[in-house]
Amino acid sequence: MDFQHESYIVLDLPSPVKEKIYDIRDYHKDTLRASLPVEITVAGSSGVGVIEPGQDKEVVFNTIKNIAMNTSPILASFEEVLRFPGTDLFVFTLKNEERFRLLHEEIIKSGIKFKPNKFPYRPYCTLRSRTPISDKEVEEIMGTKLSDEFILDTISIYMVDKIPLNRLYTVKLSGK
């Protein structure tokens, strides 16, 4: 069996920070975002595109498992809210992007094939994408703060074939 729909490789956010992001999404009445996992994409939305169809899922899963076995959990925290230029997409950026960039590069070098993507890699967590947005709402979301530190220790592959998304695979980061 291969990848028949767009599929992303992500780091799942843990509780209680995950619930805090859901609360932000709910507050901003973004029903689409509220129905999606709270995560940081490491392959699929920037840097490289989604997993190229036609690859054997088990081979991809084993590749991600091997990467996870050699990757230690990531201590992370959010920095500021960013609005992507020309869009109504608002995201939390991360204070230290180095570990995310290293993981992204490791996945790219792994042999998994990805569709092209025109955007450079930038790790983030989406807060809101609902449009339109008023000036007051922009001001409000841009001022959102979340100072929690959290440990990202789960990598998953999600396929976009329905809502809620289909989690195809998940594995713990267990490297030293």
Side-chain angles (χ1 to χ4, degrees), residues 47-112:
V48 293
V50 295
I51 296 172
E52 183 75 46
Q55 296 174 84
D56 183 282
K57 285 182 184 175
E58 292 306 316
V59 171
V60 172
F61 297 163
N62 283 332
T63 301
I64 293 301
K65 179 181 178 183
N66 288 335
I67 291 170
M69 287 173 26
N70 292 302
T71 303
S72 59
I74 300 171
L75 177 64
S77 59
F78 295 123
E79 192 162 45
E80 62 187 10
V81 174
L82 168 74
R83 181 181 192 175
F84 281 104
T87 74
D88 288 337
L89 180 63
F90 295 84
V91 301
F92 263 135
T93 59
L94 291 132
K95 283 191 180 169
N96 185 351
E97 296 181 351
E98 182 181 357
R99 293 281 314 279
F100 299 96
R101 291 182 183 285
L102 290 171
L103 179 57
H104 176 76
E105 288 299 320
E106 193 69 26
I107 291 169
I108 289 172
K109 294 186 305 188
S110 71
I112 298 171

Side-chain angles (χ1 to χ4, degrees), residues 142-172:
M142 292 300 291
T144 302
K145 304 276 187 239
L146 191 58
S147 59
D148 303 43
E149 281 193 332
F150 48 93
I151 295 175
L152 297 159
D153 66 354
T154 305
I155 192 166
S156 297
I157 300 175
Y158 286 97
M159 184 168 60
V160 182
D161 60 339
K162 60 184 171 139
I163 304 285
L165 298 186
N166 186 5
R167 186 188 321 218
L168 299 178
Y169 183 73
T170 192
V171 63
K172 291 286 189 183

